[in-house]
């Protein structure tokens, strides 16, 4: 399921619910519907930036790499592009930019409405 984040000062941001959940859990927000007010935006930006920084400190484990390799089908169809893991910082960036805009322009971020 997709979540559409809306803000008057930034274009809409679409995220899969499973990816948005990590961010919304960090901010103690409901996945189904919610708001990050202009007053909450500075704290939300700081928390998300901290989580991004922390995730950059940890490399993908060997187990994750084995899973990617196993599902890639080493002996099958070598014509496809190699699988690239999308990192948390990459997934979070559009929403982080929206939160920065909300903070700077004093607007709210809404979803599920």
């Amino acid at each position: 399921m997709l979540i559409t984040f809306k803000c008057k000062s930034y274009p809409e941001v679409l995220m899969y619910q499973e990816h948005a959940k990590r961010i919304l859990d960090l901010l103690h927000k409901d996945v189904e519907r919610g708001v990050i007010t202009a007053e909450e935006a500075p704290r939300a930006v700081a928390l998300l930036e901290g989580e991004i920084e922390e995730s950059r400190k940890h490399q993908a484990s060997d187990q994750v790499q084995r899973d990617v390799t196993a599902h890639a089908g080493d002996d099958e169809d070598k014509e496809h592009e190699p699988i690239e893991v999308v990192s948390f910082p990459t997934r979070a960036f559009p929403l982080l930019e929206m939160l920065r805009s909300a903070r700077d322009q004093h607007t709210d971020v809404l979803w599920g409405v």
Side-chain angles (χ1 to χ4, degrees), residues 3-5 17 24 28-36 109-113:
I3 295 177
T4 303
F5 293 93
Q17 183 174 346
L24 295 173
H28 304 289
K29 298 291 184 176
D30 182 47
V31 176
E32 297 296 321
R33 175 184 328 179
V35 61
I36 298 170
V109 175
L110 306 165
W111 64 96
V113 290

Side-chain angles (χ1 to χ4, degrees), residues 9 17 21 23 38 40 42 44 54 57 61 63-64 70-72 82 89 95 112:
S9 64
Q17 183 174 346
K21 184 175 181 351
I23 297 168
E40 294 173 316
E54 186 64 28
K57 292 178 185 177
S61 71
Q63 183 178 1
V64 171
H71 294 293
L95 186 56

Side-chain angles (χ1 to χ4, degrees), residues 71-82:
H71 294 293
D74 289 353
D75 296 333
E76 300 174 16
D77 198 1
K78 298 284 185 186
E79 299 298 316
H80 283 87
E81 293 289 323

Side-chain angles (χ1 to χ4, degrees), residues 61-72 74:
S61 71
D62 291 338
Q63 183 178 1
V64 171
Q65 186 57 44
R66 280 193 304 270
D67 287 347
V68 169
T69 303
H71 294 293
D74 289 353

